[in-house]
Amino acid sequence: MSEDKYVGRKFKTDLTEKEVMEDTRIYEIIRLGEKFKKIGLLPKENGGYGGNMSFRNDRGFVITAGGVDAGKMDPQKFVQVLKCNIDTGKVFAEGLMEPSSETMMHYIIYRDKPSVNAVIHVHDNIVLENAEELNIKTTPKAHPYGTPELAYEIEKTIGHEKYIAIKDHGVIAIGKSLWEAGKLVESMHDATKKLKQ
Ligand SMILES: [Zn+2]
């Protein structure tokens, strides 16, 4: 859906090569990814893969790596993000791979919302096409993925919502847990499909 080609990360990572610490939530993301892939929410697009997921921990947050298929994950493809600076475009992280190109929009949500512990971003095209009819809040302007402009636009739009659409791009669900955010992604998808039958 996104019009710009996948050209990689639009920020620089200060990456310490180190495997991410064991956490059961890593396996929760792996299972969610498999489920979302099956229903078409993680499409291969423009030479990259749509969708990324993260959860908060006491050191920052753990996110799926960039350029990987979030529907086919293993623990080596997760990255511990420690710190971000949106304006200088710098991410401090630990992992065996670079973090998702959309790390900044996850970061901004965790920064603003202390009660949020999970962020899920998928490319749900059926919801996106019907967002207005469904009364789903949508970012007013389209911005290229991974840019500070997109992160700020999401920050402005989200308010108290737990699920918003990103114009011409995808959707974001947030929650206290991966279970909560994942449930939201699924139920919005199912409800839209039903409506359109
Ligand atoms: Zn995306």
Side-chain angles (χ1 to χ4, degrees):
M1 205 72 194
S2 178
E3 278 177 18
D4 57 323
K5 260 189 155 6
Y6 183 79
V7 292
R9 250 141 261 104
K10 288 166 181 158
F11 53 84
K12 281 216 169 81
T13 314
D14 187 323
L15 188 72
T16 308
E17 209 181 303
K18 198 173 164 191
E19 213 168 308
V20 169
M21 236 169 42
E22 272 293 320
D23 193 307
T24 54
R25 290 170 291 182
I26 284 177
Y27 298 94
E28 243 181 285
I29 287 185
I30 294 175
R31 282 195 299 272
L32 280 172
E34 287 165 355
K35 196 196 276 179
F36 293 156
K37 190 181 172 76
K38 221 180 269 172
I39 55 173
L41 306 189
L42 301 168
K44 197 168 199 299
E45 288 173 345
N46 303 321
Y49 291 93
N52 34 75
M53 292 180 255
S54 68
F55 62 86
R56 188 200 293 272
N57 65 5
D58 54 10
R59 302 178 68 215
F61 61 94
V62 172
I63 191 165
T64 48
V68 301
D69 181 352
K72 271 189 185 165
M73 291 294 288
D74 60 69
Q76 278 73 46
K77 295 179 188 160
F78 285 80
V79 184
Q80 171 75 56
V81 176
L82 302 166
K83 234 172 30 182
C84 288
N85 188 319
I86 297 186
D87 300 316
T88 59
K90 199 101 195 255
V91 172
F92 296 86
E94 292 173 358
L96 305 177
M97 298 175 78
E98 289 271 336
S100 163
S101 57
E102 287 167 317
T103 294
M104 293 296 189
M105 70 186 190
H106 290 250
Y107 165 72
I108 212 162
I109 291 168
Y110 291 122
R111 190 192 66 184
D112 291 358
K113 296 177 177 294
S115 66
V116 168
N117 296 311
V119 176
I120 297 180
H121 165 57
V122 292
H123 290 189
D124 192 332
N125 293 332
I126 182 163
V127 169
L128 207 56
E129 282 158 21
N130 298 286
E132 214 188 307
E133 192 183 332
L134 293 161
N135 256 322
I136 296 169
K137 226 170 164 188
T138 304
T139 56
K141 261 170 77 187
H143 291 283
Y145 77 86
T147 54
E149 290 75 19
L150 179 62
Y152 287 131
E153 191 86 355
I154 288 163
E155 182 184 41
K156 268 194 290 176
T157 305
I158 203 157
H160 294 294
E161 304 291 329
K162 288 204 145 85
Y163 184 99
I164 62 163
I166 309 169
K167 190 178 169 62
D168 300 338
H169 180 160
V171 298
I172 289 191
I174 62 177
K176 287 196 175 68
S177 64
L178 281 164
W179 185 85
E180 193 183 299
K183 206 77 207 150
L184 201 50
V185 167
E186 235 185 311
S187 57
M188 292 303 283
H189 183 71
D190 290 345
T192 312
K193 260 176 58 190
K194 231 178 233 167
L195 192 82
K196 290 287 132 188
Q197 257 166 15

Short mmCIF file of all heavy atoms in Angstrom, two decimals, residues 12 101 147 152:
data_model
loop_
_atom_site.label_atom_id
_atom_site.label_comp_id
_atom_site.label_asym_id
_atom_site.label_seq_id
_atom_site.Cartn_x
_atom_site.Cartn_y
_atom_site.Cartn_z
N LYS A 12 19.87 6.08 12.00
CA LYS A 12 21.11 5.34 12.22
C LYS A 12 21.02 4.57 13.53
O LYS A 12 20.55 5.11 14.54
CB LYS A 12 22.29 6.33 12.30
CG LYS A 12 22.74 6.80 10.94
CD LYS A 12 24.27 6.98 10.94
CE LYS A 12 24.79 7.19 9.55
NZ LYS A 12 24.61 8.60 9.12
N SER A 101 12.32 -0.71 10.54
CA SER A 101 12.41 0.64 9.98
C SER A 101 11.36 1.56 10.61
O SER A 101 11.45 2.77 10.50
CB SER A 101 12.23 0.60 8.47
OG SER A 101 10.99 0.00 8.16
N THR A 147 9.71 7.77 8.78
CA THR A 147 10.19 9.15 8.93
C THR A 147 9.71 9.75 10.26
O THR A 147 8.67 9.33 10.79
CB THR A 147 9.66 10.04 7.78
OG1 THR A 147 8.22 9.92 7.73
CG2 THR A 147 10.22 9.61 6.44
N TYR A 152 5.42 11.67 14.23
CA TYR A 152 4.73 12.80 14.85
C TYR A 152 3.26 12.86 14.45
O TYR A 152 2.40 13.22 15.25
CB TYR A 152 5.43 14.12 14.49
CG TYR A 152 6.75 14.31 15.20
CD1 TYR A 152 7.90 14.68 14.51
CD2 TYR A 152 6.84 14.13 16.58
CE1 TYR A 152 9.11 14.85 15.17
CE2 TYR A 152 8.05 14.30 17.24
CZ TYR A 152 9.18 14.67 16.53
OH TYR A 152 10.36 14.83 17.18
#
